[in-house]
Amino acid sequence: MTKTPGFWAVIPAAGVGSRMRADRPKQYLPLAGRTVLEHTLDIFFRHPRISGVVLVISADDGWFGDLDIRTDKPLWVVDGGAERCHSVLNGLKALMTHADPRDWVLVHDAARPCLSDGDLDQLLDTLRDDPVGGILATPVRDTKKRAGPDGRISATVDRGAMWRAFTPQMFRLAALEAALERALAEGFLVTDEASAMEHAGQAPLLVEGSARNIKITQPEDLSLAEFYLSRR
């Protein structure tokens, strides 16, 4: 009997978040009584279909040990790499020792604490039988402008087929690991997991999610995230 593929999460949290101008990485900033990272981890700890989590942190991280992490699910903490893509690859390699190569892995930004249970369910339900996998995203609704070298508008870009890429990004474990390995070996700029899969000749599916799934990158994002969390 064929085993039903499981679902696992990999959360890269090794970045420093310099744009926040804070005394610590943004994933450790306070948010609604906890840290950003604790809110993000809880999304996957509480979801009944997520089997376990790999958290990737900096080798010189000085904050994770102070968190109050409580979960009955497996949590593996591994060291990150030079860039986000290297950290994700480290997380995938760690997960390969615990999961089946055909299991699904959901890579999610540590700084996206507002992912809703509904969007996560939608992603799992839409992609569980997909041959490739895909990502949460939302259609671009603002007018898009292309800037010239002088900072002036050089063109208005057709937004009709444009989407904003979010996370989680969900692919088969072995397929994503192989795609990242190949992209890095060939010097391809990997901006997210989907770009690695695209480089490998695959066409990930776009699954529409909520625009509330924001990534905290600037100080004002914390207030917005706190508002969204309060409205759950």
Side-chain angles (χ1 to χ4, degrees), residues 9-85:
V10 168
I11 300 177
V16 297
S18 57
R19 280 178 289 180
M20 291 297 293
R21 301 186 298 277
D23 64 348
R24 66 196 64 194
K26 60 188 176 183
Q27 58 268 28
Y28 294 112
L29 291 173
L31 173 64
R34 308 188 74 193
T35 63
V36 172
L37 180 57
E38 286 172 303
H39 284 288
T40 301
L41 286 169
D42 276 352
I43 296 167
F44 299 94
F45 288 158
R46 69 172 177 256
H47 197 282
R49 286 192 278 175
I50 300 298
S51 299
V53 176
V54 177
L55 176 66
V56 190
I57 63 176
S58 172
D60 58 359
D61 184 295
W63 294 271
F64 178 72
D66 295 330
L67 302 187
D68 183 20
I69 303 295
R70 300 180 184 181
T71 179
D72 58 359
K73 292 183 178 182
L75 171 63
W76 299 285
V77 182
V78 301
D79 288 345
E83 302 290 344
R84 182 184 185 278
C85 54

Side-chain angles (χ1 to χ4, degrees), residues 48-50 52 56-57 59 79 93 96-97 110 125 127 130 148 192:
R49 286 192 278 175
I50 300 298
V56 190
I57 63 176
D79 288 345
K93 288 183 179 298
M96 284 288 283
T97 66
D125 291 339
L127 297 179
D130 193 87
D192 64 355

Side-chain angles (χ1 to χ4, degrees), residues 82-95:
E83 302 290 344
R84 182 184 185 278
C85 54
H86 301 100
S87 292
V88 171
L89 186 55
N90 286 358
L92 297 177
K93 288 183 179 298
L95 185 55

